[in-house]
Amino acid sequence: MICENITVNEKGNLCFAGMDVTKLAAKYGTPLYLMDENRIRQRIRTYKNALTKALGEEAKVLYASKAASFCQMYRICKEEGIGVDVVSLGELYTAIKAGFNPAEAYFHSNNKTDEDIDFAIEKGIGYFVVDNEEELFVIDKIAGEKGKRQNILLRITPGIDPHTYEAVATGKVDSKFGSAIETGQAEQITKTALGLKNINLCGFHTHIGSQMFDSEVFFDGAKIMLEFISHIKNSLGYTAKELDLGGGYGVRYTENDPTIDIAANIEAVGKYIRNKCNELGLEVPSIRMEPGRSIVADAGMTIYTVGTVKRIPGYKNYVSVDGGMSDNPRFALYGSEYTIYIANKMNDKGQTFNCSVVGRCCESGDIIQENVTLPSSVCRGDIAAVLTTGAYNYSMASNYNRIARPPVVMLNNGEDYVAVKRESLEDIIRNDI
Ligand code: LLP
């Protein structure tokens, strides 16, 4: 199995976090998102412990809440004592409503509106991660009007190709994010920030890309950023106190994806950073990391009921489920790979049916996965489970075709509870006049 929280019980049913998936489907209905709370906490602790061990108590984990944003996630982050990364008023508002202290939140985005900035400063946001000069001036102005001096990090584009898929690569010079070192804009914005009265420049941020397994990329990112810090120290006499290295490591969607030892990787990055600082004559800055995917991805699973099974002789087969790109747009967007099981037929030996697992949305691109092998007995009423859907599935879900979003049910030591309710038909028309 691709993750240790996935097992099969004596009835031949798939279990997630030790609980029979078919029973949960019967209790809550489908489609259904399941989340394994212990796995989330375990992953947070892995990052937190490894980071503080490698780089001291000053080092901090920020959960990139775009991966899965709802009140219970922010409560978990609060209880685990980590910060969060938010990218919109919606995420910040959810965090605040959940009782999360906004002073522990970092506000990203390449285009913060005046309203975003005003609201966030009013609520006492910890930091803005500032993308560009235009935004810097607005923050300075609004902070000034409110009589505040705002903490910021500057988002720097290091000019690295992360070898991941294009839509999630962000470190290249031509990226829409940040200010590039190569073009001189990174130094320029630093100079500007240092000259603004209501801005407290705390350091720099970089994010190279998502779903990365290559630890070299993290070394490269750290190297370029520490050299930049050293350059700025010499050219502007400013020493950055904080360095945020962006998102976390990749996750296993299928058996073909590598397993990654996060703690060992962080230890190696920590060692690299300490050596590099030594070489450059720098004090080690307080390091931040912002994992999203690797905190929640394999803590999630989506459960569907199988509907139409269509065989087109000589061509292909389809297994349709009662959700689709409305709850999981990742195959349509990125061609993402997934592992799919028929949860009530785990011991069925006839795993020979090659098919595309598709949704119920009204378009051909509504595919969850192609080239899937399922039991040839697969039929209407079976329960299908798509693994590793905890990251960027619920958070990217839509009401396309006016399909209601599934609920999120959390599993915790044999208990299950609703963290997000199923949308009703009334919810669908809530804002219609
Ligand atoms: N920090 C920043 C500034 C980011 O842009 C991201 C992800 C993260 C942290 C978290 O990275 P992670 O640990 O999750 O790799 N919707 C896409 C993923 C977009 C990622 C955007 N930024 C997907 O479904 O694969």
Side-chain angles (χ1 to χ4, degrees):
M1 293 293 182
I2 56 172
C3 184
E4 67 219 28
N5 55 4
I6 296 164
T7 50
V8 178
N9 68 13
E10 64 295 340
K11 292 187 187 137
N13 290 341
L14 183 69
C15 294
F16 189 46
M19 299 181 75
D20 188 325
V21 160
T22 64
K23 282 194 187 153
L24 292 162
K27 177 168 177 186
Y28 292 103
T30 59
L32 169 66
Y33 294 116
L34 298 176
M35 297 284 280
D36 172 357
E37 183 177 335
N38 281 334
R39 179 75 182 167
I40 297 169
R41 291 184 187 271
Q42 192 191 78
R43 299 292 269 191
I44 291 175
R45 288 173 199 169
T46 300
Y47 271 101
K48 193 177 168 187
N49 295 340
L51 208 56
T52 48
K53 192 168 158 217
L55 290 151
E57 291 299 322
E58 287 297 301
K60 262 196 202 164
V61 181
L62 316 174
Y63 165 60
S65 64
K66 72 206 79 179
S69 175
F70 47 87
C71 287
Q72 183 62 355
M73 276 307 303
Y74 296 100
R75 287 186 205 112
I76 292 174
C77 291
K78 182 180 172 187
E79 284 165 17
E80 294 295 329
I82 61 166
V84 299
D85 140 3
V86 295
V87 293
S88 70
L89 282 194
E91 287 182 357
L92 178 59
Y93 186 76
T94 311
I96 292 171
K97 281 285 169 183
F100 192 89
N101 180 2
E104 299 296 323
Y106 288 59
F107 198 134
H108 290 67
S109 163
N110 63 310
N111 185 21
K112 302 169 189 74
T113 64
D114 292 11
E115 186 197 1
D116 291 344
I117 294 168
D118 195 286
F119 181 90
I121 296 180
E122 192 59 43
K123 295 292 177 195
I125 190 86
Y127 294 74
F128 283 105
V129 179
V130 174
D131 187 272
N132 55 70
E133 273 201 335
E134 209 179 287
E135 178 181 306
L136 188 58
F137 292 126
V138 180
I139 295 172
D140 179 57
K141 177 170 166 285
I142 297 178
E145 285 163 8
K146 295 184 189 294
K148 294 192 176 172
R149 190 153 181 261
Q150 181 60 50
N151 289 339
I152 67 152
L153 301 181
L154 290 173
R155 178 158 181 167
I156 305 300
T157 318
I160 294 178
D161 184 345
H163 309 297
T164 180
Y165 50 103
E166 195 58 30
V168 299
T170 54
K172 296 199 266 180
V173 179
D174 62 358
S175 164
K176 78 163 180 172
F177 295 102
S179 307
I181 296 176
E182 191 182 306
T183 58
Q185 285 163 302
E187 180 162 354
Q188 178 54 47
I189 194 172
T190 308
K191 202 167 163 188
T192 306
L194 290 170
L196 294 173
K197 221 169 72 234
N198 310 308
I199 294 289
N200 180 30
L201 178 61
C202 300
F204 300 109
H205 168 282
T206 196
H207 172 75
I208 300 159
S210 197
Q211 184 59 357
M212 294 190 304
F213 291 99
D214 187 354
S215 49
E216 290 301 314
V217 175
F218 282 95
F219 291 164
D220 291 351
K223 173 176 185 285
I224 291 173
M225 290 308 298
L226 291 169
E227 284 170 356
F228 178 70
I229 290 175
S230 166
H231 168 75
I232 292 295
K233 184 179 167 196
N234 296 332
S235 68
L236 302 177
Y238 165 75
T239 306
K241 290 186 196 63
E242 297 184 26
L243 173 60
D244 185 333
L245 292 173
Y249 293 95
V251 301
R252 300 186 80 205
Y253 287 98
T254 71
E255 301 277 355
N256 297 330
D257 289 325
T259 314
I260 191 154
D261 182 341
I262 291 174
N265 269 276
I266 291 179
E267 192 186 335
V269 172
K271 194 167 164 210
Y272 180 86
I273 290 174
R274 281 185 273 111
N275 287 342
K276 191 74 195 168
C277 285
N278 203 8
E279 180 192 315
L280 294 169
L282 286 176
E283 256 191 55
V284 178
S286 300
I287 300 291
R288 278 93 187 82
M289 268 187 99
E290 304 164 347
R293 190 189 304 274
S294 48
I295 300 291
V296 283
D298 57 24
M301 187 184 273
T302 310
I303 312 303
Y304 303 100
T305 301
V306 172
T308 304
V309 177
K310 185 172 286 181
R311 295 173 168 84
I312 310 176
Y315 289 89
K316 66 190 285 187
N317 303 316
Y318 289 99
V319 169
S320 315
V321 295
D322 56 352
M325 67 193 295
S326 46
D327 61 76
N328 183 357
R330 297 191 68 257
F331 183 84
L333 278 172
Y334 320 119
S336 305
E337 292 194 273
Y338 283 104
T339 303
I340 304 182
Y341 294 128
I342 296 301
N344 53 309
K345 293 183 173 166
M346 292 302 286
N347 291 341
D348 191 317
K349 298 283 176 259
Q351 306 266 348
T352 55
F353 188 63
N354 185 273
C355 59
S356 289
V357 175
V358 298
R360 59 193 290 215
C361 296
C362 198
E363 71 173 73
S364 301
D366 174 25
I367 297 168
I368 296 207
Q369 197 64 194
E370 283 182 323
N371 257 321
V372 182
T373 306
L374 296 178
S376 42
S377 65
V378 61
C379 62
R380 194 175 188 88
D382 279 346
I383 300 298
V386 181
L387 277 49
T388 328
T389 58
Y392 303 110
N393 282 241
Y394 170 73
S395 63
M396 291 174 78
S398 74
N399 289 128
Y400 183 45
N401 290 177
R402 295 233 132 175
I403 292 173
R405 270 177 277 240
V408 180
V409 168
M410 285 264 178
L411 311 178
N412 187 5
N413 297 327
E415 305 279 329
D416 45 276
Y417 66 92
V418 176
V420 181
K421 286 192 285 191
R422 183 181 297 285
E423 281 180 344
S424 64
L425 290 174
E426 278 310 307
D427 290 330
I428 296 282
I429 60 156
R430 186 167 305 284
N431 296 322
D432 294 10
I433 306 292

